[in-house]
Amino acid sequence: MDCSVEGKVAFAQGHAYHFATVDAALAFHACVTGGGAVEQCAAQHGCTRRVELEDVEAQEEAERREDDRPGATP
C-alpha cells in the first residue's frame, strides 16, 4: 500500500487524511502499510478530516483563475 506522511497529514489512495498530532499520522501510516484497511486505520487513529486530492487541485486551479481575472484584487 502506498502511503506517505507529511507532518500531521497522511496520503493514501488519492486522499489526504488529517490528524491532530504527528504521532497519530505516523500510527495511521504504520497501520496502513501493515495491511490495515485505510478507512479503518483512519478511524482508529483519530482522523479529523479526509480530502480527495483531486478536489484540492480543482479548488486551487479555480482560485488561480479568479486571481488572474482582469480587475481581480490581489
Side-chain angles (χ1 to χ4, degrees), residues 7-31:
K8 297 179 185 180
V9 180
F11 301 92
Q13 294 184 332
H15 290 83
Y17 294 85
H18 298 245
F19 297 90
T21 66
V22 172
D23 288 341
L26 293 173
F28 167 81
H29 178 269
C31 181

Side-chain angles (χ1 to χ4, degrees), residues 3-59:
C3 182
S4 62
V5 177
E6 292 183 22
K8 297 179 185 180
V9 180
F11 301 92
Q13 294 184 332
H15 290 83
Y17 294 85
H18 298 245
F19 297 90
T21 66
V22 172
D23 288 341
L26 293 173
F28 167 81
H29 178 269
C31 181
V32 170
T33 56
V38 173
E39 293 302 321
Q40 183 178 2
C41 290
Q44 179 180 349
H45 296 288
C47 177
T48 59
R49 184 173 175 217
R50 179 181 145 213
V51 178
E52 187 171 359
L53 295 178
E54 290 179 5
D55 289 347
V56 172
E57 291 173 13
Q59 181 180 357

